[in-house]
Amino acid sequence: MNTRNTEIIVGLFIALGLAALFMLAMKASNLNIYDDNTGYEITANFDDVSGLKIKSAVTMSGVRIGRVSDITFDSEMFEAVVKIRIENQYKTLPKDTSASIYTAGLLGEKYVGLEAGGDDENLQQGDKLKLTQSSLVLEKLISRFVDSFVDKDKDDK
Amino acid sequence: MLDFIQQLGRSGFDFFQRLGRASILFGHILAGVPSMILRFPLVIQQLYSVGVLSLLIVLVSGLFVGMVLGLQGYNTLVDFGAEESLGVMVSISLVTELGPVVAALLFAGRAGSALTAEIGLMKATEQLSAMEMMAIDPIRRVLTPRFFAGFISMPLLAAIFSAIGILGGHLVGVALLGVDEGAYWSQMQASVDFYDDIMNGVIKSIVFGVVVTWIAVFEGYDAIPTSEGVSRATTRTVVHSSLAILGLDFILTAIMF
Amino acid sequence: MTDLSAPLVEIRNLSFARGDRMIFDGIDMDIERGKVTSIMGPSGTGKTTLLRLIGGQIKPLAGTIKVDGIEVTQLSRSALFQLRKRMGMLFQNGALLTDMNVYDNIAFPIREHTQLSENMIRTLVTMKLQVVGLRGARNLMPSELSGGMARRVAMARAIALDPMMMMYDEPFTGQDPISMGVLVRLIRELNDALGLTSIVVSHDIEEASSISDTIYLLSGGKVVAHGNADTLRESGSEWAQQFMNGLPDGPVPFHYPAPDYAEDLLSAGANK
């Protein structure tokens, strides 16, 4: 009877469905990128990390070298503490590397851009970045812009 | 005027009576599920007629929906200079909403109506009665395998719909309209959360699968055993399933997102 | 344990209604073992309903139905299923499962209820097919069968588990003379060869009378006559006379209840 054919086709159908689910999980979502244990962790404190998310990219010279692994708030210093996990292959970052939060495109995501300093010693697990620049918050930018006009007016008078 | 109210009241009672019958039937169907493991060939046969045969319409529709999303999405996003986010837009729309809902609607129309017609016809030609007289429970033999098959097929079909939709969006966005390939995928991967978006979409499609198959199987079993009765039951399956899908979608989305 | 001289089916004081229409009103019936009993009456008297009551598909309003000493109306679901395995039923249009061929249809109850090997099943099915004369048709699909052939296959399926009784729901309806002859012969021969008890529901007087040992005549929810064919033909009952002789008018009137004819004609002109 053709039961055997039917069973084969049904098996293919289920395999196709599972493959679709797998494809969605792997290629269309953030599932596979989160590598918990590889790489080394460093921290950086910022005044403002608006828009930065866990798993946001950490780049240097435009190349992604790590990810944001945790964001917490330090209630004594009133700063945001960002933990960054850098892939093991990039061990030569100098200790005075600076971190800034940038935006990728107009509606794009926030990411952390690192710039190398000149220190001889390299960053190790648990080190802290000293030079940081916070993310740009649009409202603050606009108010600064408006303020500059007001000042200009005052000067002209 | 009074007639109208009376009619409304009667319709209300009818509705609850049908809901009650449907729930009792649902209980019987579920009672037969454990024995399905031993009778898996029956389920496989139904998986073929319910799942595999719906595959073509799901693939074609998924592709077109994905392509339209790519096209429309691009047109909208390009005004904001945000065409890089096309991947995000296409994938989230599909995975959380369009995939489960549209695939379920298509399933209700194609497989649901076929199930109702088949079972209704079996009732009209006394095949179900004959089974009863042969001491075989028609619910376990006929309804439960079909229910099981629908329940398994629906999430798979929804996933296939979403996956091919994303590829369709890629086809239009990247190949035709020039969106950056890397941006399409990487933005998508950064923004689509596996647990919040994809798993919720899967849960939705499972719920839809249960509801659509339940309605289809009930309407067939409950149909008046004449040709007119069966055709009306088939229509009711499609209409009620569609309304249920859209209504449940709203409720589920409100709960989950 | 079971008294073999007692009737196989004993119906006492059976009442059943559909809506507000009384289908059976306290009827009594005995179906003797090993005999062919026909239940006849005008259309709509609920003859099929009676078979369903005996098979336990529906429950009566009042009364008892004993099959082989077991009270059908009190049975639990599983006990009822056990009893049904010993009953064979032939539906009016055969009711074959349309998604399987003739062989699988007959094998269906065997596969569902026993663990016999496929070889044994093949033997059994072939034997049943031989009895009804359709051994060569084993691979046909139900849609390829004529009405008469479909009924014969359904018969083979009904005796697949060697039941103790057979119920036939209008087996002769709409058959050509040859198929009719085949079915008539099969019902009688099966009954005698397999030691069955057969209940035939029909309104085909000629055919049913020719093979029945006992006939019950139903009308208006009551048994109006019973006995063998000769008894009924000679009976004084008007019902029996009208039915057995096929008279168009009598206790079952020709005219559907309507107002007076003359009045109807006159008022038809006045209402314009």
Side-chain angles (χ1 to χ4, degrees):
Chain A
M1 293 192 284
N2 64 347
T3 320
R4 191 157 175 276
N5 286 343
T6 311
E7 287 177 357
I8 293 177
I9 294 177
V10 169
L12 285 174
F13 166 66
I14 298 202
L16 183 65
L18 292 173
L21 264 176
F22 190 71
M23 176 259 185
L24 287 176
M26 293 294 120
K27 288 215 79 186
S29 80
N30 51 10
L31 190 64
N32 65 336
I33 300 168
Y34 198 92
D35 266 327
D36 218 11
N37 296 318
T38 65
Y40 61 97
E41 221 174 45
I42 59 176
T43 50
N45 284 20
F46 294 86
D47 288 328
D48 197 323
V49 291
S50 306
L52 192 68
K53 296 207 255 281
I54 296 179
K55 293 189 205 162
S56 291
V58 174
T59 68
M60 190 173 231
S61 307
V63 176
R64 190 181 76 74
I65 59 167
R67 291 228 170 252
V68 172
S69 59
D70 198 13
I71 302 176
T72 47
F73 181 62
D74 183 339
S75 45
E76 279 166 36
M77 301 283 285
F78 297 108
E79 282 179 335
V81 180
V82 178
K83 283 213 190 90
I84 295 174
R85 190 168 279 282
I86 303 204
E87 287 171 28
N88 276 324
Q89 48 183 303
Y90 306 109
K91 286 198 198 322
T92 56
L93 276 67
K95 270 207 190 300
D96 59 348
T97 298
S98 64
S100 314
I101 302 184
Y102 296 110
T103 317
L106 193 61
L107 292 183
E109 307 256 297
K110 299 279 192 221
Y111 66 95
V112 178
L114 300 176
E115 242 177 71
D119 206 324
D120 291 330
E121 279 185 44
N122 293 335
L123 284 172
Q124 310 283 343
Q125 165 83 23
D127 278 348
K128 194 167 168 136
L129 296 178
K130 302 221 175 46
L131 297 162
T132 63
Q133 188 182 74
S134 303
S135 70
L136 291 170
V137 179
L138 210 56
E139 291 85 2
K140 289 193 189 158
L141 209 61
I142 292 177
S143 71
R144 250 200 293 174
F145 191 60
V146 169
D147 282 344
S148 75
F149 270 118
V150 173
D151 287 336
K152 228 171 146 262
D153 266 348
K154 271 214 248 172
D155 287 340
D156 284 347
K157 281 224 167 68
Chain B
M1 186 58 202
L2 210 59
D3 276 342
F4 176 70
I5 298 182
Q6 199 178 35
Q7 189 60 358
L8 211 62
R10 204 176 309 149
S11 304
F13 277 123
D14 276 346
F15 173 73
F16 284 114
Q17 194 183 17
R18 301 193 94 234
L19 191 61
R21 272 209 302 274
S23 309
I24 295 174
L25 184 67
F26 192 60
H28 277 155
I29 293 176
L30 286 183
V33 167
S35 60
M36 273 305 112
I37 315 204
L38 302 163
R39 314 229 33 198
F40 216 64
L42 284 177
V43 180
I44 292 186
Q45 184 64 34
Q46 290 312 312
L47 272 173
Y48 179 77
S49 64
V50 155
V52 174
L53 294 181
S54 304
L55 195 56
L56 186 62
I57 193 175
V58 163
L59 282 172
V60 173
S61 308
L63 185 65
F64 278 118
V65 167
M67 297 203 310
V68 165
L69 271 177
L71 199 53
Q72 278 289 51
Y74 183 84
N75 285 338
T76 311
L77 290 171
V78 85
D79 286 343
F80 296 92
E83 62 270 15
E84 310 272 286
S85 306
L86 187 62
V88 180
M89 203 200 100
V90 168
S91 61
I92 294 207
S93 315
L94 279 169
V95 161
T96 60
E97 289 297 327
L98 291 179
V101 172
V102 176
L105 288 172
L106 292 172
F107 183 78
R110 199 240 144 249
S113 63
L115 277 176
T116 303
E118 188 189 3
I119 297 175
L121 220 51
M122 286 180 97
K123 186 178 184 192
T125 52
E126 295 189 292
Q127 287 179 49
L128 297 181
S129 221
M131 271 193 228
E132 267 188 25
M133 284 311 291
M134 287 193 272
I136 293 162
D137 186 354
I139 296 180
R140 281 207 191 181
R141 183 72 176 51
V142 172
L143 299 188
T144 306
R146 285 166 173 77
F147 178 78
F148 217 55
F151 164 74
I152 296 177
S153 304
M154 193 63 248
L156 295 176
L157 288 169
I160 292 173
F161 187 93
S162 299
I164 205 171
I166 291 176
L167 291 174
H170 179 271
L171 186 68
V172 165
V174 174
L176 290 172
L177 293 171
V179 172
D180 177 49
E181 162 131 25
Y184 188 85
W185 293 110
S186 67
Q187 292 245 351
M188 192 194 300
Q189 285 169 354
S191 314
V192 176
D193 183 65
F194 182 73
Y195 293 107
D196 283 337
D197 298 318
I198 296 187
M199 279 321 282
N200 279 338
V202 170
I203 293 174
K204 267 195 200 178
S205 58
I206 293 179
V207 171
F208 293 155
V210 167
V211 171
V212 171
T213 320
W214 174 23
I215 293 177
V217 151
F218 169 69
E219 290 291 347
Y221 190 72
D222 202 51
I224 299 170
T226 61
S227 53
E228 198 203 334
V230 172
S231 94
R232 251 198 267 154
T234 313
T235 315
R236 264 206 300 269
T237 292
V238 178
V239 170
H240 287 182
S241 299
S242 307
L243 292 175
I245 291 169
L246 295 171
L248 280 172
D249 183 46
F250 173 70
I251 295 174
L252 288 171
T253 308
I255 296 176
M256 296 197 272
F257 293 103
Chain C
M1 199 180 62
T2 35
D3 182 3
L4 286 173
S5 61
L8 185 62
V9 180
E10 287 177 55
I11 299 176
R12 296 282 175 271
N13 205 26
L14 184 69
S15 292
F16 184 76
R18 193 163 277 142
D20 43 348
R21 207 170 72 110
M22 206 60 171
I23 310 236
F24 297 121
D25 196 1
I27 60 173
D28 294 333
M29 264 193 212
D30 279 337
I31 314 280
E32 299 289 337
R33 285 173 200 268
K35 304 250 185 278
V36 176
T37 307
S38 290
I39 302 179
M40 300 203 270
S43 304
T45 41
K47 308 190 289 293
T48 310
T49 313
L50 186 62
L51 292 182
R52 284 169 179 249
L53 282 164
I54 296 176
Q57 276 185 320
I58 45 186
K59 275 198 157 51
L61 229 51
T64 64
I65 305 173
K66 280 212 187 70
V67 175
D68 200 20
I70 303 171
E71 177 57 48
V72 170
T73 55
Q74 314 277 30
L75 286 178
S76 68
R77 206 177 156 81
S78 50
L80 188 57
F81 269 36
Q82 288 303 320
L83 184 60
R84 283 189 186 151
K85 287 187 205 171
R86 302 159 65 198
M87 299 180 185
M89 177 131 172
L90 180 63
F91 287 82
Q92 202 161 339
N93 54 11
L96 296 176
L97 300 173
T98 45
D99 51 338
M100 7 177 134
N101 66 17
V102 165
Y103 180 91
D104 290 324
N105 257 287
I106 300 174
F108 184 69
I110 307 177
R111 286 190 180 127
E112 291 285 321
H113 290 304
T114 70
Q115 314 279 14
L116 294 174
S117 68
E118 281 304 309
N119 267 328
M120 275 248 61
I121 295 180
R122 191 169 186 287
T123 311
L124 277 171
V125 174
T126 310
M127 280 164 50
K128 307 298 176 188
L129 278 169
Q130 176 72 356
V131 167
V132 300
L134 287 175
R135 200 159 42 88
R138 84 171 99 228
N139 286 321
L140 294 178
M141 295 298 288
S143 50
E144 298 171 297
L145 299 171
S146 73
M149 287 167 76
R151 282 181 199 183
R152 283 196 274 162
V153 173
M155 246 171 143
R157 183 179 69 179
I159 57 169
L161 292 177
D162 292 319
M164 64 182 174
M165 67 187 258
M166 278 290 286
M167 296 191 271
Y168 299 88
D169 189 1
E170 310 259 8
F172 310 122
T173 311
Q175 293 299 296
D176 67 82
I178 300 178
S179 317
M180 190 96 86
V182 169
L183 281 167
V184 168
R185 199 187 91 175
L186 267 177
I187 294 178
R188 184 75 234 185
E189 286 187 358
L190 265 181
N191 191 76
D192 297 334
L194 300 178
L196 297 171
T197 304
S198 305
I199 307 177
V200 179
V201 159
S202 177
H203 40 59
D204 235 290
I205 312 162
E206 286 294 319
E207 267 57 44
S209 310
S210 65
I211 53 169
S212 307
D213 297 307
T214 317
I215 302 176
Y216 275 88
L217 213 49
L218 289 176
S219 185
K222 296 202 191 296
V223 176
V224 292
H226 91 266
N228 62 32
D230 296 322
T231 320
L232 280 172
R233 256 184 266 264
E234 288 150 23
S235 99
S237 156
E238 278 188 17
W239 289 101
Q241 286 303 317
Q242 183 184 12
F243 195 72
M244 298 302 285
N245 295 315
L247 302 171
D249 206 6
V252 179
F254 177 71
H255 286 286
Y256 193 78
D260 184 66
Y261 188 38
E263 272 186 39
D264 212 1
L265 278 179
L266 291 174
S267 65
N271 275 343
K272 272 284 184 316

